């Protein structure tokens, strides 16, 4: 077993990954491969909470997400990319953890509330929809990570996970309620209380300038977009500015994107200064420069992604290898949790064929 600290994070396959995923989490994942044992879950069961009637789409999206992760620099030799549906320990831990959380606490999760609103679910969502918030705690704790790279919107989910870890350790492992989070394992707890590792850009606004970048809102720049598609999407950014001599808002979405994606800080400062003064600098010119910078970032990703296009078998091989590694850790965790909770009667082994 590696002595390096472990991290766990992942994605629900709801569509192709985009720039928001890159700056919010995936860039950090790629960096952490150098120093941590990395486990990246593709949460395909969670996708059924709102699309149970579209299994073929979920399967396709699952494979596309893996292609995107490989394109962005996740190395399957150093990181395990794995399928949630093939880790039975997660389902068992979900049921156990559900006993530790009051229903009202789950429903107070602000991310859950936002999703109900954004997806117009009203009162029609399935029982499995709020259950996925509990399932996410199991996704994480099954791997006993010290940290979870997440976007800003996922921090409430992680706080629920931290509550479950504390409650389990206190209830079944004798950890005192005054023990600091970092001391739980040393005091005999099964689960570390994981910390959030939020990317430099916790939340990327979409090209509409209003909502978080999302495929469903049609305001995203996808990792797999062609250079022309990227420029076309960037050209849609609306600022309300009428001429190059009109002073612009240096905090609007166009300027935010310049801050994030144009690597030359001095050039960004120059653009923002001219923009704020209305010093004969047009939105169109800035969008061309911004589009070129984003395409420079994405071009190596497109090249890596091309190696896996149309080759589902290669993608499935990556998932199988990662899932074997993931099951080894998750089964170990489950055995520890069962023993602590008085459920440890037999040993078992999970094998993929």
């Amino acid at each position: 077993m590696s002595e390096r600290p472990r991290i766990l994070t992942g994605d629900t396959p709801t569509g192709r990954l985009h720039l928001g995923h890159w700056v919010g989490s995936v860039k950090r994942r790629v960096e952490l491969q150098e120093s941590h044992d990395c486990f990246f879950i593709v949460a395909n069961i969670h996708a059924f909470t709102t699309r149970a009637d579209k299994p073929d789409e979920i399967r396709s999206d699952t494979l596309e997400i893996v292609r995107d992760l490989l394109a962005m620099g996740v190395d399957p030799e150093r990181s395990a990319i794995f399928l949630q549906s093939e880790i039975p320990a997660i389902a068992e831990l979900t049921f156990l953890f559900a006993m530790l959380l009051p229903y009202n606490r789950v429903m107070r999760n602000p991310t859950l509330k936002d999703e109900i609103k954004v997806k117009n679910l009203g009162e029609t969502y399935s029982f499995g929809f709020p259950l996925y918030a509990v399932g996410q705690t199991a996704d994480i704790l099954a791997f006993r990570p010290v940290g979870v790279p997440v976007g800003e919107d996922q921090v409430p989910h992680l706080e629920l996970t931290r509550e479950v870890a504390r409650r389990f350790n206190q209830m079944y492992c004798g950890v005192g309620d005054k023990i600091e989070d970092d001391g739980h394992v040393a005091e005999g707890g099964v689960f570390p209380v994981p910390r959030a590792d939020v990317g430099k850009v916790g939340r990327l606004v979409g090209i509409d300038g209003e909502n978080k970048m999302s495929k469903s809102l049609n305001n995203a720049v996808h990792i797999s977009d062609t250079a022309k598609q990227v420029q076309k999407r960037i050209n849609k950014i609306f600022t309300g500015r009428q001429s190059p001599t009109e002073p612009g808002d240096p905090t609007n979405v166009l300027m935010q994107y310049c801050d994030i994606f144009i690597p030359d800080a001095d050039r960004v400062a120059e653009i923002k200064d001219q923009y704020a003064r209305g010093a004969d600098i047009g939105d169109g010119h800035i969008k061309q420069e911004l589009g070129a910078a984003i395409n420079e970032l994405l071009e190596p990703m497109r090249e890596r992604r091309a190696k896996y296009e149309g080759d589902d078998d290669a993608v499935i091989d990556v998932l199988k290898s990662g899932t074997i590694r993931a099951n080894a850790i998750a089964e170990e965790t489950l055995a520890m949790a069962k023993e602590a909770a008085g459920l440890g009667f037999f040993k078992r082994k999970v094998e993929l064929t």
Side-chain angles (χ1 to χ4, degrees), residues 17 79 90 119 148 167 175 180 191 223 253 267 284 303 322 333 344:
L17 300 185
S79 300
I90 289 176
K119 295 176 181 177
V148 183
R167 196 162 297 172
V175 175
E180 296 290 332
F191 300 106
I223 299 302
V253 64
R267 176 56 183 153
E303 292 176 4
T333 301

Side-chain angles (χ1 to χ4, degrees), residues 276-309:
R277 291 187 293 109
D280 199 25
I281 184 168
D283 281 13
H285 173 81
I286 297 170
K287 290 174 183 178
Q288 288 296 316
E289 192 167 342
L290 174 62
I294 292 174
N295 275 318
E296 187 174 349
L297 168 69
L298 294 183
E299 189 54 37
M301 299 184 191
R302 294 187 189 108
E303 292 176 4
R304 285 192 291 265
R305 200 180 197 284
K307 298 175 184 177
Y308 295 94
E309 283 295 353

Side-chain angles (χ1 to χ4, degrees), residues 22 44 58 83 100-101 132 139 144 165 209 223 229-230 307 337:
W22 170 249
N44 55 331
I58 293 171
L83 279 173
L100 305 181
L101 288 167
Y132 106 86
D139 295 338
R144 309 191 312 278
I223 299 302
Q229 287 172 327
V230 167
K307 298 175 184 177

